[in-house]
Amino acid sequence: MNIIVLLGKSGSGKDAMQNLLIDYFKKFEIVKLTSTRPMRENEKQGDPYFFTTKDNFLNNLNNFIEYRKYTTLLKNVKDEWYYGVSKDGDYYKKLEEQTSMITVAESGAGKSNLLNLLLYSIFWNYNNGIDSKIDYTVLIDLKGNELSLYNYKNTKFIDNIEGVETIFKELKEIMYNRYKIMKETGDKKFKGLPIIVVIDEVGTIGTYFDKRIKDNIFNDMIELFQKGRACKIIFMIFAQKCDSTNIPSNVLTNIQSRVLMKTDSDFNTNSMIGTKETIEEITLQEVANFNRGRAIIKDGESSKKDLIQVPFISENQHLAIVKSFNYLK
């Protein structure tokens, strides 16, 4: 990734040069600032700035990498406008604090990018295969073979619905055994290593034709979500929609953490994070207008909501990172 910085005095043509570069190369993206200045007629939220009030800006100074104040005189009224570079996107969660999580986003929102970044983190915690912080990982991909790239030790790849039904039965047995150990030791949380289960496009299960298998899987999921947290069986689920056709409401209710990326579905937004008023407390930009990688995270333990920007990883970078984990094979 290359970064270009344009420097110059006010009125020297920085914006004109910036627009020429964007029009010519067609692949530059701008680091957008947050601003308190009034929005102009030809502008909208997120273009060219993320607009906010002065009070909101000053109350959240810790959320900016840097900021600058300009004193203005508009219609004989002296004012102060603030511009800042947000540091949203730096989000860290300890592995032992991670709860089961669902990410919902429309196609092109950056969901696959987030999925791969989480997988990098998971396999990094394998610690060269020595003193791993993870027992093993289950990768479920029913629509393609993207996750099969992660063909490492202590990793199970499943690409058929019958395999999902089988592995969930196995996970329940493990959960019961871990509960027995916890009961014997008096621990409220299992002391051993976590098992991570990643499901890409969970809607493929929800739309499966065999109702018996589908119902068995979702019933097992509910029990695993309810009891698996204490036993350190953690799910990371990805979907384009979270309506009842794709994932039953009683399943969704038992998933503690939520990630919402770009979507034009009010149902997705309301089910994942909350009402429009709730969203406005987090960001002034509508979820339907989120740029690629923008996301709201609702923590499963604290219910705290954070606005983040997921870094973009190119296809070449992705393949190189996957290859760098070959020592785990």
Side-chain angles (χ1 to χ4, degrees):
M1 178 178 66
N2 297 318
I3 299 176
I4 296 178
V5 180
L6 301 177
L7 300 176
K9 292 183 178 180
S10 179
S12 61
K14 297 188 298 298
D15 288 347
M17 178 59 72
Q18 167 190 287
N19 293 333
L20 283 171
L21 289 169
I22 293 172
D23 290 341
Y24 185 81
F25 290 103
K26 307 294 184 186
K27 61 181 181 180
F28 282 113
E29 293 191 13
I30 304 168
V31 177
K32 293 183 179 180
L33 306 181
T34 299
S35 175
T36 65
R37 76 157 172 78
M39 191 186 302
R40 297 166 185 166
E41 288 184 0
N42 62 334
E43 295 174 340
K44 60 183 180 180
Q45 185 60 261
D47 185 15
Y49 301 105
F50 296 114
F51 294 96
T52 188
T53 63
K54 186 192 298 185
D55 287 342
N56 188 56
F57 190 102
L58 294 176
N59 288 333
N60 293 278
L61 290 180
N62 290 333
N63 291 336
F64 296 95
I65 298 170
E66 63 173 19
Y67 68 92
R68 182 167 294 183
K69 178 180 72 174
Y70 293 91
T71 301
T72 63
L73 187 64
L74 184 63
K75 296 181 180 179
N76 293 323
V77 177
K78 189 176 181 181
D79 196 5
E80 295 173 339
W81 292 351
Y82 289 83
Y83 293 78
V85 180
S86 173
K87 64 181 180 183
D88 285 336
D90 183 9
Y91 186 86
Y92 172 76
K93 185 76 175 176
K94 292 182 180 179
L95 180 62
E96 57 266 25
E97 296 176 357
Q98 181 64 53
T99 60
S100 289
M101 178 181 78
I102 181 170
T103 299
V104 172
E106 67 182 38
S107 179
K111 176 163 52 68
S112 294
N113 200 62
L114 173 59
L115 167 58
N116 284 312
L117 285 166
L118 289 172
L119 287 173
Y120 303 157
S121 179
I122 289 170
F123 293 118
W124 176 261
N125 278 286
Y126 273 38
N127 285 346
N128 296 323
I130 303 171
D131 296 327
S132 174
K133 296 180 180 179
I134 295 174
D135 191 345
Y136 65 89
T137 303
V138 179
L139 302 179
I140 300 173
D141 189 354
L142 302 178
K143 292 189 71 174
N145 61 355
E146 181 180 354
L147 300 187
S148 64
L149 290 173
Y150 300 96
N151 183 26
Y152 308 135
K153 291 180 181 177
N154 298 330
T155 302
K156 301 179 180 181
F157 177 71
I158 297 172
D159 61 358
N160 62 85
I161 198 79
E162 293 79 9
V164 176
E165 185 181 26
T166 300
I167 195 67
F168 279 14
K169 298 299 182 189
E170 293 176 6
L171 289 171
K172 284 178 63 178
E173 285 300 316
I174 293 171
M175 182 177 68
Y176 297 148
N177 289 331
R178 289 187 171 189
Y179 257 110
K180 289 179 182 178
I181 295 173
M182 291 163 59
K183 188 175 181 179
E184 292 171 359
T185 59
D187 294 322
K188 292 184 178 180
K189 194 168 187 178
F190 183 65
K191 296 294 186 181
L193 299 176
I195 298 170
I196 309 294
V197 183
V198 179
I199 306 177
D200 192 17
E201 299 299 351
V202 70
T204 309
I205 300 173
T207 55
Y208 190 64
F209 70 91
D210 191 320
K211 187 176 184 300
R212 182 193 63 80
I213 293 180
K214 180 171 63 176
D215 288 348
N216 286 343
I217 289 173
F218 282 134
N219 288 333
D220 287 342
M221 286 176 74
I222 292 172
E223 189 171 357
L224 285 165
F225 291 152
Q226 291 175 339
K227 301 177 182 178
R229 180 179 177 184
C231 298
K232 291 188 180 178
I233 300 175
I234 302 167
F235 282 76
M236 294 183 179
I237 299 173
F238 294 80
Q240 291 191 27
K241 299 177 181 179
C242 60
D243 55 47
S244 58
T245 302
N246 289 270
I247 180 168
S249 58
N250 56 347
V251 175
L252 182 63
T253 302
N254 285 286
I255 304 175
Q256 296 94 353
S257 297
R258 312 285 178 90
V259 179
L260 178 67
M261 305 181 80
K262 182 179 180 180
T263 177
D264 60 6
S265 167
D266 290 337
F267 184 89
N268 283 348
T269 302
N270 292 333
S271 300
M272 292 290 291
I273 303 298
T275 62
K276 183 178 180 181
E277 288 73 23
T278 302
I279 299 295
E280 288 175 349
E281 293 175 0
I282 306 166
T283 174
L284 294 176
Q285 191 174 31
E286 293 183 5
V287 177
N289 295 326
F290 273 10
N291 61 301
R292 185 179 184 183
R294 201 66 165 173
I296 298 173
I297 292 183
K298 182 179 178 181
D299 184 81
E301 291 188 326
S302 66
S303 294
K304 181 185 176 185
K305 304 175 186 70
D306 288 287
L307 183 68
I308 70 165
Q309 180 65 43
V310 179
F312 174 71
I313 305 296
S314 70
E315 181 65 17
N316 288 337
Q317 289 173 319
H318 168 59
L319 293 175
I321 293 171
V322 171
K323 187 177 180 180
S324 72
F325 286 117
N326 278 348
Y327 59 80
L328 294 174
K329 289 187 174 181

